Amino acid sequence: MNSIEELRHTYELLKKEKEEDLLQYQQKVLRQSISEKKKSGICWYPVKLDRSYIGTGERLIVELQRTNSFEQKHLFQAGRAVSFFSNAQQKPTRDHVNAVVNYVRDNQMVLTLNVDDLPEWIDDGSLGVDVMFDENSYREMDFAIKQVIKATEGRIIELREILLGKTQASFNTTIQVEKPEHLNESQQQALIKMIQAQDVGVIHGPPGTGKTTTLVACIEEVVKNEKQVIVCAPSNAAIDLLVEKLSDKGLSVLRIGHPARVTEQSLSKTLDYRIATHDYYRDLKLMRRRMEELRTMAFKYKRKYGYEEREQRKLLMDEVRALKADADVLEFYITNNLIENSDVIACTLVGANHYVLKGKKFKTVFIDEAAQSLEPACWIPILKSERVIFAGDHQQLPPTIKSFEAAKAGLSETLMEKCQKRLPNVASMLRTQYRMHEKIMAFSSAYFYHNELEADEKVKNHLLPNDTTPFLFVDTAGKGFDEKHHPETLSRFNEEEARLLIQLIEQTIREVGEEKWREEKLTMGIITPYSAQVELLASLAEQSEEIVSIKEYVTINTVDAFQGQERDLIAISFVRSNAEAEVGFLGDIRRTNVALTRARKKVIAVGDSATLGAHPFYEKWIEFLQTHQFYKSAFEF
């Protein structure tokens, strides 16, 4: 396929993905009763209004309290688009307003409403919150990919051909770059390559190799020459981490995006906050207050009044319109002043098309977590840029895709991956890792990274206190620990395997000693690929005296939730154990690579070699464990 045909194919896959996403949303939200939705975790109902107030950027905030189901699981999280509704009138179409979740914890939820005034029905009771379908992301991706396809002039045509591997990328090796001393050799080489890249560069950062450190150093260097760059990532969490790191380096960062989607640390960098603290904001506020006063006066004159009153209202509304025009001009000036005086514009990939960035061009766009970014989303900021620097690791988790068909047909292959496969020499891999014991790293290094990773001296031999081995795999083959299906979620779980893993964790805590654990503030992650197993492990952990005694240092979650994180001890439950030797989505071995590389000092894993070993990756892994005496049978316990 030529580049246009390939992009059209990607566009069709994006349409498939949207259809599947919408279908799943409709099945979950639109076609279920409130009680079914509550059970699925996509609705809070009933909730009571605790208070409402004006927050950052003059936005309307409501604080809500859930009045039942304290332990109910849910899918709400900061940044999620939701519908805030009242069911009081029992109408076919409920009263509702769109909103964004600022914060959710236990029974509390804080929303930013996307309206200027509190809805009239807010005091009617029967209030609730529903998860909403994210139409905006698809609209922006759709628009961007169409722009790339139909482009007939400009830099985007050249980038289109280069990024899809139809033309080779160029480098200017005469550019001299000073090597920052805080970077190691492979990080310095990556920095040099990115600065010399004329079209595209890739910082390939395997686990624990300091990808973010290298990326931040690269951004610092580019800002020196170009005065301003745009930095993007697929998620709000990823971009907020970069905002924090870049701000620590003294760069002026402007975070574009809804304040409700931003972490507290990044809030002071947001456009809304910066407008509210600008020298001219007081003038803007006075104009708006005057507008409201005039509008209130105007609407005192009802239509039934006579000619004079109607004329008076018309004059007042003319004055409101004139003030609004002045206020818009002043806000436009403040916004542009803030953008022009920022070193870094930071936003999500979809946020790169925010209205305040319309028409803006940048010499360089940096895309972090590019291996988790859908290709159509990457084109959004690339349309505004002359060259692109990707950072990520295609051997870790891919983008989340709802349509199996679209993923299989190529949507799961990212633009960063295409560049690495099709353009020799654009990628620079970081080689020294600062996280893991060298034996924890060894298998991933051999299998995924051509045996090129090396452990830094400070970490290569570090173990848990009173421990002698960095790895333990306990094989449940022959024990009859069969997996089961959760009847509602269809997720898988394995009760006997979970109990054994908890037993091994308890034994480790006793060996280290609770006092030592607290003294050294050792952290633990209990992880598994399946959400039903997460629930089971969490329930068992709550019943364990040893785990409860150090609970503030323990996190239990899916493997996917742990990408980018690390713990001193990682305990893994693989779950799959069946007569057919089916591994299901464990067949995506990148997920297992993430699981195995989160630990600093020790990994404890439990699984069934008879099931896992039917897959060539796990067969090699189990051989590795046996060779290094990290393997034991469950019959020994």
Side-chain angles (χ1 to χ4, degrees), residues 3-4 7-8 142-154 156-157 160 383:
S3 59
I4 301 294
L7 284 162
R8 284 190 179 132
D142 185 285
F143 176 77
I145 206 161
K146 281 179 178 170
Q147 292 294 103
V148 180
I149 289 169
K150 68 184 186 187
T152 54
E153 58 182 11
I156 193 61
I157 300 172
R160 181 178 71 195
L383 277 162

Side-chain angles (χ1 to χ4, degrees), residues 13 31 64 96 148 274 391 583:
L13 297 182
R31 293 177 191 163
L64 307 171
H96 78 281
V148 180
R274 297 277 287 278
V583 296

Side-chain angles (χ1 to χ4, degrees), residues 527-586:
I527 64 178
T528 176
Y530 295 93
S531 56
Q533 189 77 341
V534 169
E535 287 191 30
L536 176 56
L537 286 163
S539 168
L540 292 171
E542 282 170 14
Q543 299 162 39
S544 163
E545 280 182 34
E546 287 88 347
I547 297 173
V548 167
S549 73
I550 56 159
K551 65 180 180 183
E552 63 267 43
Y553 302 110
V554 180
T555 315
I556 305 172
N557 217 325
T558 59
V559 176
D560 295 42
F562 265 83
Q563 173 131 342
Q565 298 190 41
E566 56 184 57
R567 298 290 188 273
D568 292 303
L569 166 66
I570 286 287
I572 310 166
S573 168
F574 281 103
V575 178
R576 299 311 296 257
S577 179
N578 53 71
E580 298 74 30
E582 287 177 358
V583 296
F585 86 150
L586 288 185

Side-chain angles (χ1 to χ4, degrees), residues 10 28 82 104 107 126 150 155 185-186 191 198 233 367 387 428 486 533 537 561 587-588 591 601 606 618 627 634:
T10 303
K28 274 185 176 175
V82 294
V104 59
N107 270 0
S126 301
K150 68 184 186 187
R155 174 65 170 153
E185 193 184 335
S186 66
L191 172 72
Q198 301 300 287
I367 300 179
R387 69 167 176 164
S428 198
H486 192 284
Q533 189 77 341
L537 286 163
D588 186 347
R591 182 169 277 104
K601 300 176 180 179
V606 180
Y618 294 101
T627 305

Side-chain angles (χ1 to χ4, degrees), residues 399-411:
T400 302
I401 296 173
K402 301 258 174 44
S403 165
F404 176 75
E405 199 184 329
K408 202 174 174 188
L411 192 61

Side-chain angles (χ1 to χ4, degrees), residues 2 15 22 38 62 81 107 158 180 183 197 204 254 370 388 410 422 481 574 592 632:
N2 64 34
K15 284 197 330 200
L22 185 57
K38 282 166 66 178
V62 293
N107 270 0
E158 295 167 347
L183 299 185
H204 179 194
L254 185 64
V388 55
R422 302 175 189 185
F481 290 2
F574 281 103
T592 305
K632 286 191 176 183

